[in-house]
């Protein structure tokens, strides 16, 4: 299924017309009334940096609608003799403002948390932290922050929270010598944007969380942390509840990067603009409509709305065979979406990178591409079908695909669950390719793999089953057995941690064989029958293990040991019979 395309047979005008018909017929899904979060900012601003920089910025911001300006600075800039008059004017213009000088050591302990309208700024100096908002302006928080420091706090974040603005400030003399006109305009625009952060602002709630599907924690054990690892805004935390941990996402810090929902193997975190299911269904519908309209060699390009708008502003029009899937951010579509496009008839998938991507988003996309390539290799397809496109690389963006589409049949994904949909996509790709039949290596952290069960150690206690967040592990019902379905395993590790006998080991890797979708027995034993009533209530190994561990327990001393070979009903009856014969027996324990 890796047939080369005959370039002479491709009609770009025909493809462009087919693409336009697709756009007119099927709209990209969008939530018309998404849930929102609201920021409330009254304009109490904190300026951080050197004394001269913060005073100059404060002078530029005075009289522009901010409720208050608070300056927190470290070592002041050196004062030249020629600048004494300017410095005097600067001090006079800002002498009524609230200021606080910090030593460099104190500045290192400054801790900033929060978002627009609710910034907590604490100085961890000494035994108790000092709340600067409470100490300096008698408020619970600052509303917005302008960081002018040489080493701003943004270096501690990949994506700074809303309301936090970092910029470099220079004196007029320095600026005239070192900055061009465009840099000066950028500074003016930054200040204009900063003073505009006063009032109420709504932002979409980008996600929804279904804790029932989450594989993060159970029974006190920590399993999957993929969403925590990939969020560049640090909006996701593992919250320790009274019994166990759970994932919590701060909607005020979340900036819609979407990598969490793509990294989540179970669909517990779902992106809402649009939902993953609607996104997948639309991709399949687009490709089907494109073929019906006479289009050839379709290439699906995943691109952000901002990048798409920037291209349109420049008058750039992609080649006719390139169909754009617009996203809030590239992280909102991972390798499951890309492979869906290939299984639905795209010849190729391209991911259009953009400037200023957070480091964790870049790492995430590279990891997702590595996973897609590993799966394509295992299923007998060319890995060139999924590729990243660098910024401004119009040649790669518009290049004709080297290979024909894998299919011209539509793809139906009736299942609502993310993993079930992915398994259907992988099954379609297996049908269209030449699977290796072997377990292929996958990048670390991939949600593909199996488990190895040590039959000699396993007692079939089924702690693993009760801790498994997916249907991957099941008990044998009335028969003492443990069964496993690899297609549902997300390699969270909760079963491995829950096993009291250390009988389970994770096996990372994608099995490119039909056995991956077949449930098989990992371990089974004969049932142990109650010596009184004959009811099967445990396995032979479980009873033997319990007898060994309780051999020296006073409750089971002597003839009472035989109770461990009884079911729960007969065990209670035997205890009462003993107490009737010897009422003082309970006092001997």
């Amino acid at each position: 299924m890796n047939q080369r395309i005959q370039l002479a047979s491709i009609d770009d005008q025909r493809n462009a017309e087919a693409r336009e018909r697709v756009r007119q017929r099927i709209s990209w899904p969008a939530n018309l009334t998404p849930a929102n979060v609201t920021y409330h900012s009254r304009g109490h601003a904190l300026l951080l940096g050197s004394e001269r920089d913060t005073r100059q910025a404060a002078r530029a911001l005075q009289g522009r609608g901010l409720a208050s300006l608070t300056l927190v600075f470290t070592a002041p800039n050196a004062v030249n003799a020629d600048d004494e008059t300017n410095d005097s004017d600067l001090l006079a213009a800002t002498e009524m403002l609230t200021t606080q000088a910090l030593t460099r050591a104190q500045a290192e302990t400054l801790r900033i948390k929060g978002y627009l309208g609710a910034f907590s700024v604490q100085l961890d100096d000494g035994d108790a932290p000092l709340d600067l908002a409470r100490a300096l302006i008698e408020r619970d928080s600052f509303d917005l922050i302008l960081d002018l420091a040489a080493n701003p706090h943004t270096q501690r974040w990949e994506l700074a929270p809303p309301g936090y603005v970092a910029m470099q400030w220079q004196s007029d003399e320095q600026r005239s010598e070192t900055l061009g006109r465009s840099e000066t305009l950028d500074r003016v625009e930054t200040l204009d944007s900063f003073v505009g952060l006063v009032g109420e602002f709504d932002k979409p709630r980008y996600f929804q969380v279904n804790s029932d599907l989450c594989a993060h924690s159970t029974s006190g054990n920590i399993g999957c942390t993929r969403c925590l690892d990939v969020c560049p805004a640090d909006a996701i935390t593992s919250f320790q509840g009274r019994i166990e941990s759970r994932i919590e996402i701060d909607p005020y810090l979340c900036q819609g990067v979407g990598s969490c929902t793509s990294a989540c193997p179970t669909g517990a975190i779902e992106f809402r603009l649009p939902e993953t299911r609607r996104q997948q269904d639309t991709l399949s519908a687009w490709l089907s409509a494109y073929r019906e309209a006479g289009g050839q060699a379709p290439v699906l390009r995943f691109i952000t709305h901002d990048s798409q708008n920037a291209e349109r502003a420049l008058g750039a029009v992609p080649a006719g065979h390139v169909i754009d899937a617009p996203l809030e951010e590239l992280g909102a579509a991972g390798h499951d979406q890309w492979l869906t496009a290939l299984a639905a008839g795209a010849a190729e998938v391209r991911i259009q990178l953009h400037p200023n991507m957070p480091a964790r988003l870049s790492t995430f996309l590279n990891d997702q591409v590595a996973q897609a390539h590993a799966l394509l290799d295992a299923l007998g397809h060319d890995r060139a079908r999924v590729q990243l496109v660098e910024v401004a690389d119009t040649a790669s963006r518009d290049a004709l695909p080297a290979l024909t589409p894998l299919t011209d049949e539509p793809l139906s994904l009736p299942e609502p669950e993310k993993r079930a949909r992915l398994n259907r996509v992988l099954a379609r790709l297996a049908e269209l390719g030449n699977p290796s039949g072997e377990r292929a290596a996958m990048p670390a952290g991939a949600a593909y793999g199996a488990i190895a069960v040590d039959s000699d150690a396993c007692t079939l206690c089924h702690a693993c089953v009760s801790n498994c967040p997916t249907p991957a592990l099941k008990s044998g019902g009335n028969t003492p057995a443990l069964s496993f379905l690899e297609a549902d395993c997300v390699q969270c590790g909760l079963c491995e941690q829950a096993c009291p006998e250390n009988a389970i080991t994770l096996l990372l890797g994608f099995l490119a064989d039909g056995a991956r979708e077949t449930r098989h027995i990992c371990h089974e034993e004969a049932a142990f029958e109650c010596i009184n009533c004959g009811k099967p209530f445990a396995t032979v190994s479980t009873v033997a293990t319990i007898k060994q561990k309780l051999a020296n327990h006073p409750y089971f001393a002597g003839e009472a040991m035989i109770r461990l070979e009884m079911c729960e009903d007969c065990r209670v009856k035997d205890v009462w019979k003993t107490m009737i014969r010897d009422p003082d027996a309970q006092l001997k324990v």
Side-chain angles (χ1 to χ4, degrees):
M1 297 305 299
N2 288 321
Q3 181 180 353
R4 298 287 168 176
I5 284 181
Q6 300 297 319
L7 300 184
S9 64
I10 302 299
D11 185 340
D12 188 69
Q13 181 61 35
R14 180 182 178 186
N15 285 341
E17 292 174 355
R19 180 178 63 190
E20 186 59 30
R21 291 180 191 174
V22 169
R23 289 174 177 169
Q24 293 176 0
R25 176 178 165 187
I26 305 171
S27 300
W28 184 251
N31 288 359
L32 299 180
T33 56
N36 290 330
V37 294
T38 302
Y39 299 93
H40 301 273
S41 170
R42 293 171 176 79
H44 293 278
L46 172 67
L47 278 60
L48 301 171
S50 68
E51 181 175 2
R52 175 176 291 173
D53 288 350
T54 55
R55 287 188 183 277
Q56 286 180 332
R59 182 167 59 181
L61 292 171
Q62 283 177 320
R64 301 192 63 182
L66 296 175
S68 69
L69 291 167
T70 303
L71 314 185
V72 173
F73 45 77
T74 53
N77 295 352
V79 178
N80 298 321
D82 295 339
D83 293 335
E84 288 181 357
T85 301
N86 291 337
D87 284 340
S88 298
D89 293 342
L90 182 61
L91 289 171
T94 58
E95 64 179 348
M96 298 301 293
L97 300 179
T98 301
T99 63
Q100 176 64 50
L102 301 178
T103 65
R104 294 192 181 277
Q106 288 175 324
E108 289 296 321
T109 69
L110 207 59
R111 299 292 178 263
I112 300 175
K113 296 180 181 179
Y115 43 83
L116 178 64
F119 279 109
S120 168
V121 183
Q122 293 189 338
L123 187 65
D124 290 340
D125 186 22
D127 296 333
L130 175 65
D131 188 320
L132 293 186
R134 178 57 58 189
L136 298 177
I137 60 174
E138 297 182 349
R139 293 182 59 83
D140 293 333
S141 62
F142 293 101
D143 292 310
L144 55 162
I145 296 176
L146 181 63
D147 196 338
L148 307 167
N151 297 308
H153 277 71
T154 48
Q155 294 183 352
R156 307 175 193 180
W157 296 307
E158 289 184 43
L159 278 181
Y164 187 101
V165 178
M167 64 179 293
Q168 293 298 305
W169 190 277
Q170 292 179 300
S171 68
D172 292 338
E173 293 80 3
Q174 290 173 314
R175 190 167 63 254
S176 63
E177 295 175 2
T178 63
L179 295 183
R181 178 176 174 81
S182 62
E183 285 82 359
T184 302
L185 291 175
D186 287 343
R187 195 186 77 162
V188 172
E189 291 176 357
T190 299
L191 292 180
D192 288 344
S193 298
F194 186 74
V195 298
L197 295 175
V198 180
E200 291 190 358
F201 305 88
D202 288 336
K203 182 191 72 175
R205 185 183 290 266
Y206 293 104
F207 61 89
Q208 74 174 19
V209 180
N210 184 348
S211 298
D212 292 339
L213 298 177
C214 185
H216 174 59
S217 173
T218 187
S219 300
N221 296 316
I222 299 297
C224 178
T225 61
R226 294 178 177 93
C227 61
L228 292 165
D229 299 335
V230 301
C231 179
D234 294 325
I236 307 177
T237 56
S238 175
F239 178 78
Q240 178 61 54
R242 187 172 60 87
I243 299 176
E244 59 188 39
S245 299
R246 67 178 183 273
I247 288 295
E248 289 193 352
I249 304 179
D250 189 331
Y252 292 94
L253 292 179
C254 174
Q255 299 187 42
V257 173
S259 49
C260 59
T261 188
S262 295
C264 179
T266 64
I269 302 177
E270 185 177 38
F271 200 67
R272 301 292 292 167
L273 296 176
E275 297 96 332
T276 303
R277 294 191 299 275
R278 294 174 63 199
Q279 195 166 282
Q280 282 180 302
D281 292 340
T282 302
L283 295 178
S284 182
W286 271 6
L287 291 166
S288 180
Y290 178 83
R291 288 190 296 268
E292 292 175 5
Q296 301 169 287
V299 169
L300 241 304
R301 182 173 68 142
F302 290 85
I303 183 172
T304 65
H305 288 290
D306 291 343
S307 296
Q308 192 178 50
N309 291 336
E311 285 188 355
R312 290 172 177 171
L314 295 174
V317 179
H321 61 279
V322 178
I323 305 173
D324 284 344
L327 304 172
E328 288 290 321
E329 184 51 88
L330 294 179
H335 74 276
D336 58 327
Q337 300 272 326
W338 308 338
L339 296 181
T340 297
L342 295 179
E348 204 173 282
V349 167
R350 295 171 188 166
I351 302 95
Q352 181 68 62
L353 303 180
H354 60 81
N356 304 318
M357 289 174 55
R360 264 187 281 189
L361 176 57
S362 297
T363 300
F364 169 75
L365 289 175
N366 288 326
D367 176 73
Q368 291 290 296
V369 169
Q371 291 193 44
H373 285 171
L375 292 170
L376 289 172
D377 287 343
L379 296 172
H381 299 293
D382 196 319
R383 60 170 50 196
R385 290 187 183 275
V386 174
Q387 56 186 273
L388 299 174
V389 178
E390 297 297 330
V391 178
D393 187 354
T394 56
S396 296
R397 178 196 70 189
D398 293 337
L400 283 169
L403 302 168
T404 59
L406 294 173
T407 181
D408 58 4
E409 296 294 327
L411 175 66
S412 176
L413 298 172
E415 299 88 353
E417 301 84 7
K418 177 179 181 178
R419 189 69 176 192
R421 285 175 161 246
L422 175 58
N423 287 334
R424 184 175 288 271
V425 169
L426 294 173
R428 165 68 76 89
L429 292 175
E431 293 172 2
L432 298 171
N434 184 25
S436 66
E438 300 177 353
R439 185 172 300 281
M442 294 293 293
Y448 301 95
I451 61 171
V453 178
D454 184 347
S455 297
D456 294 332
C458 178
T459 62
L460 291 176
C461 67
H462 292 149
C464 56
V465 176
S466 62
N467 282 268
C468 182
T470 74
L473 285 169
K474 287 186 177 181
S475 61
N478 294 328
T479 303
L482 175 66
S483 68
F484 176 72
L485 179 60
E486 181 166 340
D488 286 338
C489 179
V490 297
Q491 294 285 287
C492 64
L494 289 173
C495 60
E496 185 180 41
Q497 295 183 62
C499 180
E501 310 299 340
N502 296 319
I504 296 179
T505 304
L506 297 183
L507 300 176
L508 177 65
F510 177 76
L511 181 61
D513 186 86
R516 178 177 178 273
E517 299 183 49
T518 303
R519 183 171 293 277
H520 70 275
I521 300 297
C522 297
H523 180 51
E524 61 182 339
E525 289 186 28
F528 189 94
E529 297 178 350
C530 175
I531 58 174
N532 276 359
C533 67
K535 171 186 173 182
F537 69 96
T539 64
V540 173
S541 61
T542 298
V543 173
T545 300
I546 293 176
K547 288 177 68 174
Q548 179 183 1
K549 291 183 176 181
L550 297 179
N552 297 320
H553 194 286
Y555 188 82
F556 297 101
E559 295 182 357
M561 176 61 70
I562 201 171
R563 290 182 185 140
L564 294 176
E565 298 180 357
M566 301 178 187
C567 68
E568 62 277 15
D569 294 331
C570 294
R571 194 177 308 130
V572 172
K573 292 177 183 178
D574 189 67
V575 169
W576 281 103
K577 289 179 181 178
T578 301
M579 291 178 61
I580 291 172
R581 291 194 303 267
D582 182 7
D584 295 332
Q586 58 182 321
L587 302 177
K588 300 176 183 178
V589 177

